[in-house]
Amino acid sequence: GAGVSQSPSNKVTEKGKDVELRCDPISGHTALYWYRQSLGQGLEFLIYFQGNSAPDKSGLPSDRFSAERTGGSVSTLTIQRTQQEDSAVYLCASSSLPTSGRALREQFFGPGTRLTVL
Amino acid sequence: DAKTTQPTSMDCAEGRAANLPCNHSTISGNEYVYWYRQIHSQGPQYIIHGLKNNETNEMASLIITEDRKSSTLILPHATLRDTAVYYCIVKSISGGSNYKLTFGKGTLLTVNP
């Protein structure tokens, strides 16, 4: 089936504006993750969804960042009052249910949304 | 998660095997070795993982030394499309947040025609 899709692929916005990034996970994947990757930096975890609930929001950098997931499928990441330091590639990944005591399930990544805040 | 060490870059001729090493000398008994790669301007892609036995799938083979302190990812017949940054990660099976992926610098593999 189709892989993880994200939209838009590129977003240029002005400082102070709000942006919404969308992720469509692989059908049937109950776990969904948001990461971001800044230029020359590694992968930074933002939030993890299990179904529609987010048991781990520890990576959200500030209260300007929020995310929701509806119907156990599509997720949106919202950044309010964007700042220049928010510029990065925002990646979404999905996986089967993570299980304890067994190997970590592989995560399938989307192509990312490149956010540029001017 | 145990620390990993990889060479910064490697070159390989198209059609030849690419052997990418990873050192994880502090790995513990309940930690798996995972490999992901990231082609330029794309999201990361899972390749393979293993615990102690060698593993093979349609993409690659993973050879883990008997003491588990190092491993090698083998792409048997590298193509130009395999040019990417390859990340070796060690993840525990226990721990409430082991789903968080973190990548180090990785190895930039360049496959040359």
Side-chain angles (χ1 to χ4, degrees):
Chain A
V4 178
S5 61
Q6 293 185 246
S7 61
S9 55
N10 279 285
K11 176 71 177 179
V12 180
T13 191
E14 293 180 345
K15 178 181 171 182
K17 300 282 190 182
D18 297 351
V19 295
E20 269 193 5
L21 312 179
R22 176 189 168 105
C23 172
D24 279 272
I26 291 173
S27 178
H29 278 184
T30 55
L32 186 147
Y33 317 83
W34 283 97
Y35 295 87
R36 74 177 176 182
Q37 196 170 33
S38 303
L39 188 63
Q41 301 296 312
L43 204 62
E44 179 185 2
F45 167 83
L46 298 178
I47 187 169
Y48 156 56
F49 282 94
Q50 177 49 45
N52 291 337
S53 64
D56 189 348
K57 306 178 184 179
S58 63
L60 295 177
S62 75
D63 59 8
R64 296 186 296 105
F65 288 72
S66 63
E68 64 175 14
R69 189 178 184 196
T70 56
S73 181
V74 172
S75 175
T76 55
L77 176 70
T78 302
I79 309 173
Q80 295 178 309
R81 305 181 302 281
T82 52
Q83 303 294 313
Q84 289 182 332
E85 61 263 28
D86 300 334
S87 297
V89 176
Y90 287 81
L91 293 159
C92 174
S94 69
S95 74
S96 303
L97 179 64
T99 55
S100 61
R102 299 182 66 181
L104 178 69
R105 303 277 189 180
E106 57 266 36
Q107 295 180 19
F108 296 85
F109 284 81
T113 293
R114 181 175 297 278
L115 175 66
T116 303
V117 182
L118 302 177
Chain B
D1 299 333
K3 178 176 161 47
T4 62
T5 305
Q6 299 177 253
T8 303
S9 63
M10 294 183 66
D11 284 277
C12 178
E14 188 178 18
R16 306 298 292 266
N19 297 281
L20 293 101
C22 180
N23 183 287
H24 31 79
S25 58
T26 60
I27 193 169
S28 61
N30 67 348
E31 290 180 317
Y32 283 74
V33 180
Y34 288 79
W35 284 82
Y36 278 76
R37 74 179 182 183
Q38 191 166 19
I39 295 168
H40 183 62
S41 296
Q42 295 185 24
Q45 178 188 23
Y46 165 83
I47 302 173
I48 198 167
H49 73 274
L51 183 63
K52 53 184 177 182
N53 297 321
N54 298 338
E55 302 287 344
T56 296
N57 63 20
E58 65 279 3
M59 288 184 69
S61 294
L62 175 61
I63 309 298
I64 302 174
T65 57
E66 192 169 342
D67 63 7
R68 303 212 317 125
K69 294 185 176 183
S70 65
S71 60
T72 302
L73 179 74
I74 301 173
L75 308 178
H77 307 286
T79 71
L80 299 179
R81 288 175 295 179
D82 291 322
T83 293
V85 179
Y86 287 77
Y87 297 101
C88 170
I89 307 153
V90 171
K91 296 295 292 183
S92 172
I93 62 173
S94 60
S97 60
N98 67 339
Y99 46 77
K100 295 181 185 178
L101 286 179
T102 54
F103 294 159
K105 298 289 187 184
T107 297
L108 173 59
L109 174 69
T110 303
V111 180
N112 300 304

